Amino acid sequence: MKIIKVVFVLAFLTSCNFNKTSEEKAMLDVESLNAKEQEFSNVQNNQGELIGTIEFGIHANKDEVQDFEDGIIPWISIEKTKDEINRLIDADKVVITYSEIILIIDYPLNKPVEFIIKSSGKGFTKKQLVLEISKKYHEIYKVEESSAKTKTIPIEKREGIINRNETDGTYGIWGHDIGDLVLSSAEVYKMEDVKIQVLLGIES
């Protein structure tokens, strides 16, 4: 239940002993992960009335500006939100005028989760919303690691593609470490019961 815009980058581990067997395994991993991404993007959502779309972006620093000519990076890191939050564009702008929302997080999760988020004010600024989203993602990844029997393979020990292996914890995370994820947008829906749902545009 999200807006998914996946920029899927596969990085292969190369070495002098990367043989045909390793290559074949890597190709199978790629096919499997691509199928998972396609399956996820085809999920249909029961949405209410769309009442708002929020775009997220940060000001590029001097090292990044060469890759972003307009000086704007059209996303913010999920993992390093606190490091980038001072560069968030329109950080203090109120983007949701409701004090309670249902935040849907389902990517990259086999078992989606809903969080009820409350604001102490009359709504949520872009900064407040981003920090809440980042906080919940960190909680999800922490719980997943502690509850999974199949643990996350460290990057340096991964073979073929370096994407995160699927784990079998509370949420069943697959395909991406939290460091791969960035937030680019969100859509706000008013449901039939007048509750407000927020669906996230996550890129990886």
Side-chain angles (χ1 to χ4, degrees), residues 56-112:
F56 299 96
I58 61 173
H59 295 287
N61 61 33
K62 62 180 181 180
D63 296 323
E64 299 163 337
V65 72
Q66 61 183 357
D67 297 319
F68 300 91
E69 294 181 0
D70 59 358
I72 296 174
I73 300 175
W75 59 70
I76 185 168
S77 169
I78 292 293
E79 180 185 34
K80 299 179 179 179
T81 299
K82 290 183 179 179
D83 294 337
E84 298 181 352
I85 199 68
N86 289 334
R87 295 193 280 150
L88 181 65
I89 297 169
D90 294 329
D92 296 322
K93 179 181 179 180
V94 175
V95 290
I96 297 178
T97 57
Y98 295 84
S99 59
E100 181 175 306
I101 62 174
I102 300 172
L103 178 64
I104 310 294
I105 296 183
D106 59 1
Y107 181 79
L109 280 60
N110 281 319
K111 302 169 186 175

